[in-house]
Amino acid sequence: MRHPPSVGRVLAAVALLAGCTGSIGDARAPEGGASGPDVEPPLAFPETPFSPVTPVVRRLTNAELANTLADVTSEPIAEDVLALLPAVQAEGFETVATGQSVSEAQARAFQAVARLAVNTEGFARLAWQTRCERTDVECGTLLLGELGLRLFRRPLEERELDLFLDLFLNVGAEGLSYGRAARAVGEAMIQSPPFLYLLEDERSGLPLRGFAMASRLSYLVWASAPDDALYEAAADGRLDRPEGVLEELERLLDDPRAGRVHARFLEDWARLGKIPDEDGRKAELIASATAFYAEHA
């Protein structure tokens, strides 16, 4: 049974978003309950403006990549596809940036995953949402507007639009169909840094806003890409204000997808993946531990 997000959960998430500054000392009164001018006053934390810290750029974890492709295409990623991605951890966690260098084997794996992802029915449905079947500039621009927002989690920049539009038109010029051109573009985008990495804010020193904040929220709570409502909040400026961020955060926490992060954190933190599977009940034990944590967290 799920419970609505508690105030503590919301505040903890806001702290992760905004970052905290200050120091913690010992403000206890002397033994015996004495008080007076020699007793240190309680700690007072100064109010700071709403300015989320700029994160270290990191690559999507295998789970985040799978969740993102599944949510974008509305089609679960097959287990054999996920098996192509080498597991990489640092200090027991996949999200530690220092453990996310890309090897040649991983680059080949990303290429294979991209190729398989664009050949699913889910990707085909996404590509045909444009209701445009030609391989000309008009249809290519419509396609890239849809794919760019979903895969790069923001509108495409002009240089990106030009680059991928050239690819789309070149495939069409070879006499291939709109569907084949769409798959070529999708395959290239899924292997591109704006998809594989959380490039939340490349302008150091500026506060996180708009689409960058949408990604910060969705990957913090869902380990996946933003949904339509979050994109709308980014586009109309609601994520530029603290109250708008808090409103969307509460909505995300109340979604079943929030359980993904809880389960993954527990599995990494408690090293559940190292449980031996001699009797074939490893998955059951992990599920039981995750359910217990979710009920008492």
Side-chain angles (χ1 to χ4, degrees), residues 279-294:
D279 56 1
R281 302 185 63 185
K282 177 177 178 177
E284 183 181 342
L285 290 171
I286 291 177
S288 176
T290 302
F292 179 86
Y293 172 82

Side-chain angles (χ1 to χ4, degrees), residues 92-152:
F93 294 90
E94 287 190 325
T95 52
V96 177
T98 55
Q100 292 189 326
S101 59
V102 178
S103 66
E104 183 179 347
Q106 286 172 307
R108 288 197 298 267
F110 291 143
Q111 181 183 37
V113 168
R115 186 164 299 165
L116 291 169
V118 299
N119 281 285
T120 61
E121 292 184 4
F123 181 83
R125 288 191 298 269
L126 178 64
W128 286 99
Q129 285 184 10
T130 61
R131 303 184 182 278
C132 194
E133 304 178 13
R134 302 184 307 274
T135 54
D136 58 14
V137 173
E138 181 183 359
C139 288
T141 302
L142 289 173
L143 172 69
L144 289 170
E146 186 70 30
L147 292 185
L149 183 62
R150 304 297 174 183
L151 295 177
F152 285 8

Side-chain angles (χ1 to χ4, degrees), residues 20 27-28 55 102 116 128 135 140 173 219 232 235 240 254 256 288 295:
C20 296
R28 293 173 298 177
V102 178
L116 291 169
W128 286 99
T135 54
Y219 281 94
E232 290 174 5
D240 296 348
D254 201 37
S288 176
E295 184 67 24

Side-chain angles (χ1 to χ4, degrees), residues 32-274:
S35 60
D38 295 331
V39 178
E40 295 181 11
L43 289 177
F45 292 93
E47 292 187 5
T48 57
F50 180 73
S51 181
V53 295
T54 300
V56 175
V57 173
R58 69 168 180 84
R59 180 166 45 81
L60 297 182
T61 67
N62 293 352
E64 289 170 338
L65 190 150
N67 291 340
T68 300
L69 290 176
D71 290 343
V72 165
T73 63
S74 301
E75 183 171 323
I77 303 301
E79 290 296 327
D80 56 342
V81 176
L82 296 181
L84 297 172
L85 298 170
V88 179
Q89 288 191 339
E91 303 175 21
F93 294 90
E94 287 190 325
T95 52
V96 177
T98 55
Q100 292 189 326
S101 59
V102 178
S103 66
E104 183 179 347
Q106 286 172 307
R108 288 197 298 267
F110 291 143
Q111 181 183 37
V113 168
R115 186 164 299 165
L116 291 169
V118 299
N119 281 285
T120 61
E121 292 184 4
F123 181 83
R125 288 191 298 269
L126 178 64
W128 286 99
Q129 285 184 10
T130 61
R131 303 184 182 278
C132 194
E133 304 178 13
R134 302 184 307 274
T135 54
D136 58 14
V137 173
E138 181 183 359
C139 288
T141 302
L142 289 173
L143 172 69
L144 289 170
E146 186 70 30
L147 292 185
L149 183 62
R150 304 297 174 183
L151 295 177
F152 285 8
R153 304 174 285 276
R154 56 167 173 76
L156 292 181
E157 298 174 358
E158 185 175 353
R159 61 180 179 81
E160 295 168 334
L161 178 59
D162 291 342
L163 177 66
F164 290 112
L165 185 57
D166 282 346
L167 174 60
F168 178 85
L169 296 176
N170 287 336
V171 174
E174 295 178 2
L176 299 176
S177 66
Y178 168 84
R180 183 65 189 88
R183 290 196 296 275
V185 169
E187 186 176 336
M189 294 181 78
I190 292 173
Q191 296 176 74
S192 299
F195 174 78
L196 288 173
Y197 289 82
L198 288 176
L199 303 173
E200 293 176 339
D201 187 11
E202 298 179 76
R203 301 167 299 173
S204 178
L206 296 181
L208 217 57
R209 304 202 184 284
F211 291 96
M213 177 57 81
S215 286
R216 172 75 69 87
L217 284 169
S218 67
Y219 281 94
L220 172 69
V221 182
W222 287 350
S224 187
D227 62 357
D228 288 341
L230 205 47
Y231 283 132
E232 290 174 5
D236 65 21
R238 276 180 284 148
L239 296 186
D240 296 348
R241 303 186 300 272
E243 60 271 18
V245 171
L246 184 58
E247 180 181 349
E248 284 301 307
L249 179 60
E250 290 176 330
R251 182 180 68 83
L252 267 61
L253 285 168
D254 201 37
D255 189 285
R257 281 172 284 187
R260 293 169 172 172
V261 173
H262 298 159
R264 186 68 210 183
F265 171 79
L266 178 65
E267 188 169 339
D268 289 345
W269 172 70
R271 306 293 194 269
L272 298 181
K274 297 184 179 298

